Amino acid sequence: MSSIDPFLSDANEPDTGRRERKRQQTLDHLAQTAYRLFETLGYDAVTMEQIAAQADVSKGTLYNHFPVKEALLAHRFHGELAATLAELWPALQALPTLALRLTRMLHASAHWSESHRAYLGPYLRYRLATLQPGGRDSERYPRSGLQTVFATLIQDAQAAGQVRADLAADLLAHHMQFLYLGAMLRWLDLPGASLKSEFDAAVSLFVQGAASGSSA
């Protein structure tokens, strides 16, 4: 597998400069403050005005960085995703196949998601909006980095002859990401469903396709 961690965003590069580092510190402070309020008062009860007051910034400053509460969730969750993937990456490298790597990664995601279920509805609605070209804040806020990880895993599998190489890894990663999101949405809509099982079905569909074993 690639030796470069694909989930590290440009904001983590050492030469981003003092201004960018200060901006990131402000974003982190606002998102952490908001999350503490969400945990204490409940997500729906918290207002942007409360977040600004608790963070000791003006409402204009908060709205300049985060126009909606969902954007604050996205910033926090993307930071947690990057940290989780950084910790998990060596274990993924040790696995021999794409199916095993995807399964290991998505099972870790399932564990995290189960403990954040109350926030995933608004977060996913926001993410689906920003995934659309030209969608809300699609350029202002970085993506989660998950598609980049999928693309790197797929590229490695293509190089190993495990995955068809006639389709670009980025295209295949795009489809994998929507299978991932679809599994999450189905899990949220089905009380008692197992997210690991939903992810297993998504990985199977992606790696093996929908055709039966007897198909020509």
Side-chain angles (χ1 to χ4, degrees), residues 19 26 64 121 191-192 209:
R19 180 178 299 178
T26 299
N64 182 56

Side-chain angles (χ1 to χ4, degrees), residues 192-215:
S194 165
L195 184 53
K196 285 185 178 181
S197 296
E198 296 295 330
F199 281 154
D200 287 345
V203 171
S204 176
L205 180 59
F206 180 77
V207 173
Q208 301 179 24
S212 67
S214 60
S215 296

Side-chain angles (χ1 to χ4, degrees), residues 24-59:
Q24 286 298 319
Q25 289 171 357
T26 299
L27 296 178
D28 291 344
H29 169 64
L30 294 173
Q32 290 166 5
T33 299
Y35 196 75
R36 286 196 298 269
L37 286 173
F38 297 156
E39 289 283 88
T40 301
L41 303 176
Y43 179 79
D44 291 335
V46 175
T47 66
M48 292 289 279
E49 288 74 15
Q50 287 175 308
I51 296 168
Q54 189 69 29
D56 195 24
V57 300
S58 69
K59 290 188 291 184

Side-chain angles (χ1 to χ4, degrees), residues 1 7 19 23 35 56-57 62 64-65 72 87 93 108 110 124 129 142 147 160-161 169-170 175 179 188 215:
M1 292 181 69
F7 40 84
R19 180 178 299 178
R23 188 182 78 89
Y35 196 75
D56 195 24
V57 300
L62 176 61
N64 182 56
H65 290 296
L72 288 151
E87 183 178 346
Q93 289 182 304
L124 288 175
Q147 183 167 334
D170 284 345
H175 290 298
L179 284 171
L188 287 172
S215 296

Side-chain angles (χ1 to χ4, degrees), residues 149-171:
V149 176
F150 286 147
T152 300
L153 295 176
I154 291 167
Q155 283 178 329
D156 290 336
Q158 287 174 326
Q162 298 175 3
V163 174
R164 57 189 294 178
D166 60 320
L167 296 176
D170 284 345
L171 174 61

